């Protein structure tokens, strides 16, 4: 197993299901050593087993991205092991959908903490070593919803749009050190999350997608792999939309 | 003390890519040595590594000249070298 990312280490949050799992697999397939996080020990074990079964170097580990101390500890450990990430994929995310008038403050706060604040925290922790190396790739998984909005997702849209703004600002700070910071914004992707939608909602959705199909996790992972590659070094502060034409900046 | 000063200057030379003779004790990283804000952050990181110490952000902000870096490091170095 080897390729374009040989010798690199990729940290992927939310790596045990859906999009994150595929991102970990694809980056691993290209030779990166993978550290993928899950919120439960069972999830972490599943990641480790998954990677081993595919002959990919790396492991799953438990991480709550809202736990600052746990994130610092993970990065300190990785630096100690001489495996500080050269690629960071901030993928972990949650939804707490509710019309604004019914939204509870806890729903707002939880989504902002996991989807926005954690991106800031983890990027800050990882960029230190990237600065020393004069190399790094940070990819933040956002959403088409951050660009076009979606009824019932004001918290999620705010967090994702926030990440895009953060990405552009950070990209400017570190561009001179060969560190790029970009977003990949999936549209509607077949995952456990979208499988939960009802038929009518799904049909209405398909009407709006020029490509005529839902996206796949592979579509998203391929975009992430590009932005994680050494070849994408002149692309920074961007959002790469992977949505079948649903929304075109 | 001299040893500390020399090591600090060596880090500054490497980190900012300047000539040794420019790195006087009075030299300001930004005004005299052409450092930008990110350079100064990296410089502090390099000093932390060289001297195996941690420089808190509030303190790091006050280190603007070579002498200030030497003073800080001299005062906070792990005791084994003192």
């Amino acid at each position: 197993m080897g390729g374009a990312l040989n010798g690199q280490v990729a940290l992927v949050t939310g790596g045990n299901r859906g999009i994150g799992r595929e991102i970990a697999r694809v980056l691993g397939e290209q030779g990166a050593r993978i550290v993928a996080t899950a919120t439960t020990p069972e999830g972490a074990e599943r990641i480790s087993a998954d990677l081993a079964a595919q002959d990919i170097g790396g492991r799953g580990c438990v991480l709550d991205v809202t736990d600052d101390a746990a994130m610092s500890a993970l990065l300190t450990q990785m630096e100690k092991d001489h495996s500080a990430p050269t690629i960071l994929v901030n993928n972990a995310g949650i939804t707490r959908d509710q019309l604004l008038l019914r939204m509870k403050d806890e729903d707002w706060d939880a989504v902002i903490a996991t989807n926005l604040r954690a991106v800031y925290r983890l990027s800050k922790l990882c960029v230190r070593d990237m600065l020393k190396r004069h190399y790094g790739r940070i990819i933040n998984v956002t959403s088409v919803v951050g660009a076009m909005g979606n009824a019932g997702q004001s918290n999620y849209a705010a967090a994702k749009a926030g990440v895009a703004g953060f990405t552009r600002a950070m990209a400017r700070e570190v561009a001179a050190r060969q560190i790029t910071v970009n977003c990949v914004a999936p549209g509607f992707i077949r995952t456990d999350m979208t499988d939960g939608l009802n038929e009518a909602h799904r049909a209405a959705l398909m009407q709006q997608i020029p490509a005529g199909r839902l996206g796949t996790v592979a579509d998203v992972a391929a975009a992430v792999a590009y932005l994680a590659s050494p070849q994408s070094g002149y692309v920074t502060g961007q959002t790469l939309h992977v949505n079948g034409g649903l929304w075109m900046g | 003390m001299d040893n500390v000063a020399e090591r600090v200057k060596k880090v500054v030379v490497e980190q900012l890519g300047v000539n040794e003779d420019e790195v006087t004790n009075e030299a300001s990283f930004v005004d005299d040595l052409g450092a930008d804000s990110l350079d100064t952050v990296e410089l502090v990181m390099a000093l932390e590594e060289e001297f195996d110490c941690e420089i808190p952000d509030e303190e790091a902000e006050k280190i603007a000249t070579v002498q200030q870096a030497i003073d800080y490091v001299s005062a906070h170095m792990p005791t084994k070298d003192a």
Side-chain angles (χ1 to χ4, degrees):
Chain A
M1 201 66 65
L5 302 179
N6 275 349
Q8 298 209 39
V9 176
L11 174 59
V12 181
T13 64
N16 64 324
R17 297 189 293 181
I19 291 172
R21 184 181 180 198
E22 180 66 5
I23 291 169
R25 192 188 69 75
V26 169
L27 296 182
E29 207 172 64
Q30 298 190 4
R33 190 172 171 76
I34 303 297
V35 176
T37 74
T39 49
T40 63
E42 297 75 42
E45 277 165 32
R46 210 180 102 184
I47 293 169
S48 295
D50 239 28
L51 294 173
Q54 296 169 98
D55 208 14
I56 291 169
R59 65 187 170 96
C61 69
V62 176
L63 180 70
D64 172 357
V65 296
T66 64
D67 182 342
D68 291 350
M71 284 203 284
S72 299
L74 174 64
L75 260 293
T76 304
Q77 187 58 49
M78 289 179 80
E79 280 175 24
K80 235 183 242 165
D81 298 344
H82 302 286
S83 66
T86 52
I87 300 166
L88 167 65
V89 183
N90 283 305
N91 168 72
I94 58 167
T95 55
R96 294 277 189 278
D97 298 353
Q98 191 56 266
L99 291 176
L100 178 60
L101 283 171
R102 298 234 171 93
M103 187 169 289
K104 295 190 174 66
D105 289 351
E106 301 91 84
D107 296 332
W108 175 270
D109 291 342
V111 167
I112 297 296
T114 298
N115 297 13
L116 178 57
R117 188 175 189 279
V119 173
Y120 144 75
R121 284 283 312 168
L122 205 48
S123 301
K124 186 171 160 184
L125 286 168
C126 289
V127 80
R128 219 183 141 82
D129 188 78
M130 291 176 180
L131 282 172
K132 284 188 212 158
R133 281 174 202 274
H134 281 218
Y135 184 86
R137 296 282 181 267
I138 297 178
I139 300 113
N140 299 319
V141 178
T142 57
S143 167
V144 67
V145 165
M148 63 187 269
N150 193 21
Q153 292 199 301
S154 56
N155 50 1
Y156 188 75
K160 294 301 191 182
V163 170
F166 168 81
T167 297
R168 291 189 285 268
M170 184 180 176
R172 285 180 188 272
E173 288 188 18
V174 297
R177 301 299 188 276
Q178 292 80 51
I179 300 167
T180 67
V181 193
N182 290 288
C183 298
V184 167
F188 288 96
I189 306 299
R190 276 210 64 162
T191 61
D192 298 348
M193 229 197 268
T194 50
D195 283 347
L197 296 173
N198 67 47
E199 242 350 278
H201 192 166
R202 192 201 301 260
L205 210 63
M206 293 291 260
Q207 291 276 312
Q208 301 171 51
I209 304 174
R213 66 169 177 91
L214 292 179
T216 65
V217 292
D219 291 324
V220 180
V224 172
Y226 167 66
L227 293 171
S229 73
Q231 288 77 20
S232 65
Y234 204 53
V235 179
T236 196
Q238 304 300 313
T239 294
L240 181 45
H241 288 274
V242 182
N243 62 29
L246 170 67
W247 189 85
M248 305 176 188
Chain B
M1 269 306 270
D2 282 341
N3 186 27
V4 171
E6 276 164 31
R7 284 163 69 193
V8 166
K9 287 180 181 178
K10 188 165 154 274
V11 169
V12 172
V13 166
E14 280 171 14
Q15 204 62 42
L16 300 182
V18 291
N19 288 324
E20 254 179 83
D21 51 356
E22 293 176 81
V23 186
T24 60
N25 289 31
E26 299 73 36
S28 148
F29 301 126
V30 173
D31 297 333
D32 301 318
L33 303 176
D36 66 17
S37 55
L38 185 56
D39 289 324
T40 59
V41 173
E42 286 182 315
L43 181 63
V44 167
M45 281 165 46
L47 289 170
E48 288 176 333
E49 204 150 283
E50 171 72 22
F51 294 98
D52 193 22
C53 61
E54 216 163 291
I55 306 178
D57 291 344
E58 324 67 275
E59 296 294 330
E61 282 166 18
K62 294 182 208 150
I63 302 175
T65 67
V66 175
Q67 186 62 53
Q68 284 165 353
I70 294 168
D71 291 345
Y72 183 88
V73 170
S74 304
H76 294 88
M77 255 192 9
T79 43
K80 59 180 187 291
D81 292 327

